[in-house]
Amino acid sequence: MLTINHLSKSYNKKVFAVKDLSLHVEAGDIFGFIGQNGAGKTTTLRCAAGILDFDEGEILVDGHSIARAPLAAKRVMRYIPDNPDLYEHLTGIKHLNFFADIYGLDAETRTERIRRYADAFEITDRLGDPIAAMSHGMKQKIALIGALIGAPKLLLLDEPFVGLDPKATFTVKNIMKEMTQDGAAILFSTHILEVAQKLCSKVAIIKDGKLIAAGAMDEVRGDSSLETTFLELTE
């Protein structure tokens, strides 16, 4: 679903944020992407989402090149940054309907999907509120619903659990499991290693822009916890 081959990205042509990184995310994967601050996680995700150009390499989304066929790639993908920018002059429901228009959803489909996810996050009665008046956690839920109603084949998430309360975190994890059981793929960065160990089928560890470990969760962590393995590999 996502193939990254030998990706390199620099911001000044001297220091590379990501260097010769290759990663493969298959349908059905919940793939954790972990590393210290500044390791290159966000840069990789933004390149995969088609937001950043890159110096070398190739990125394919469901077989479509993000560089040569960006519209085809983005049609099947959704990306949510760690601090999503929303249209704060809109209400929650108008914001979600705007995205439903972009996705080309008919009235019945959008109504069903918005209600399903709004009910799951327990914010149905708050959708009429202006986004500008919402808390960070509420905005994060609106951003997640906006992505989910498009039924993406690939979901890219940068620190998706930041700002969410425990119940919303539990809801997101269940939605992720349901999506991948239906054949979608998810790649997300996180600092919460305990969540990654329990949730992810695969994991990749990045340090100083270079991938230092990747594969099935049990293979990467071996007999240790993910936290112990991560600290050993990144020290």
Side-chain angles (χ1 to χ4, degrees), residues 26-224:
E26 299 176 349
D29 284 345
I30 301 180
F31 209 125
F33 195 34
I34 62 177
Q36 297 172 335
N37 290 336
K41 303 186 302 296
T42 295
T43 296
T44 302
L45 289 171
R46 287 168 65 86
C47 287
I51 295 172
L52 287 179
D53 293 330
F54 42 93
D55 300 299
E56 298 176 6
E58 181 180 47
I59 298 176
L60 302 176
V61 178
D62 197 23
H64 305 290
S65 167
I66 195 67
R68 297 188 302 275
L71 289 180
K74 292 177 182 180
R75 283 192 183 100
V76 299
M77 167 182 59
R78 304 289 179 265
Y79 165 67
I80 303 179
D82 59 344
N83 189 23
D85 291 323
L86 306 181
Y87 295 107
E88 299 209 346
H89 63 287
L90 298 178
T91 62
I93 190 62
K94 287 183 178 180
H95 180 90
L96 295 175
N97 273 308
F98 172 71
F99 276 87
D101 288 340
I102 293 174
Y103 303 150
L105 300 181
D106 59 55
E108 182 179 355
T109 300
R110 73 175 64 192
T111 299
E112 187 276 327
R113 290 180 182 175
I114 290 173
R115 178 167 294 278
R116 182 204 315 169
Y117 292 118
D119 285 351
F121 285 115
E122 300 182 341
I123 63 168
T124 304
D125 60 348
R126 299 290 305 279
L127 292 181
D129 294 355
I131 290 176
M134 293 180 177
S135 66
H136 175 77
M138 280 284 292
K139 292 177 181 178
Q140 188 77 352
K141 293 174 185 178
I142 293 292
L144 285 163
I145 295 171
L148 294 170
I149 62 173
K153 289 184 176 181
L154 173 66
L155 191 57
L156 304 176
L157 304 169
D158 199 355
E159 297 291 346
F161 304 112
V162 172
L164 293 180
D165 56 74
K167 191 167 186 179
T169 297
F170 179 77
T171 299
V172 171
K173 290 189 288 186
N174 281 340
I175 290 172
M176 292 168 75
K177 292 175 183 176
E178 291 171 1
M179 289 180 64
T180 52
Q181 286 169 0
D182 290 336
I186 298 172
L187 174 65
F188 74 101
S189 69
T190 184
H191 285 105
I192 310 174
L193 301 187
E194 183 179 358
V195 170
Q197 179 171 322
K198 292 180 179 178
L199 180 63
C200 297
S201 55
K202 296 179 181 177
V203 65
I205 300 175
I206 185 173
K207 179 183 179 182
D208 298 329
K210 297 181 180 180
L211 206 63
I212 57 175
M217 176 63 72
D218 291 342
E219 293 177 0
V220 171
R221 69 182 183 88
D223 295 328
S224 303

